């Protein structure tokens, strides 16, 4: 079955950097677009970035120029490098893959940006 396991979250000061990871299993990773979402307290889950099988990337306007999504098909892992972090980036970050109408999620990893 599909499994997504996020890791790498933590507490970081404003202006700092963090890289989070998502290890995937249970499907042919290299064939699928992978997504990162985030959900802040009291807010709806929002799409942060995506990377398709060919390596093309998209980003939310709020993170363009600061975040970079990448993938390692040999390791079945997708990454989100986050630079120049801001307090408003504080959220639980979720990895996502879709198969038709089915959305699969990991358990999430908490990222807190605070001094």
């Amino acid at each position: 079955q599909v499994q997504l396991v996020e890791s790498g979250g933590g507490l970081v000061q404003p202006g700092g950097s963090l890289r989070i990871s998502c290890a995937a299993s249970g499907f042919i990773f290299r064939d699928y677009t992978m997504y990162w979402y985030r959900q802040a307290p009291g807010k709806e889950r929002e799409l942060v970035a995506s990377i398709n099988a060919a390596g093309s990337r998209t980003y939310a306007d709020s993170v363009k120029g600061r975040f970079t999504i990448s993938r390692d098909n040999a390791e079945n892992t997708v990454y989100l490098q986050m630079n120049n972090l801001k307090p408003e980036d504080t959220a639980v970050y979720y990895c996502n893959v879709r198969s038709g109408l089915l959305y699969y999620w990991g358990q999430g990893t908490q990222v807190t940006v605070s001094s």
Side-chain angles (χ1 to χ4, degrees):
Q1 71 277 20
V2 173
Q3 257 197 320
L4 301 170
V5 180
E6 299 95 336
S7 61
L11 174 64
V12 62
Q13 292 189 342
S17 297
L18 203 60
R19 189 179 79 159
I20 56 177
S21 305
C22 171
S25 61
F27 61 101
I28 303 174
F29 178 81
R30 65 178 180 272
D31 290 345
Y32 285 81
T33 298
M34 299 299 298
Y35 303 84
W36 281 104
Y37 282 76
R38 67 185 180 187
Q39 187 165 21
K43 294 190 176 182
E44 292 191 355
R45 195 170 295 192
E46 63 169 347
L47 178 61
V48 174
S50 70
I51 183 167
N52 69 10
S56 294
R57 301 166 171 90
T58 65
Y59 298 97
D61 287 343
S62 58
V63 307
K64 274 181 186 174
R66 301 189 298 121
F67 289 12
T68 302
I69 188 172
S70 62
R71 65 191 300 159
D72 183 338
N73 290 335
E75 296 294 328
N76 287 358
T77 301
V78 60
Y79 302 97
L80 188 67
Q81 176 68 44
M82 303 180 289
N83 297 330
N84 190 21
L85 282 159
K86 304 176 180 180
E88 52 263 42
D89 295 318
T90 295
V92 179
Y93 284 72
Y94 297 93
C95 181
N96 168 264
V97 67
R98 305 166 188 179
S99 179
L101 297 178
L102 294 177
Y103 281 44
Y104 297 92
W105 301 94
Q107 83 288 353
T109 188
Q110 175 70 47
V111 173
T112 302
V113 185
S114 175
S115 55

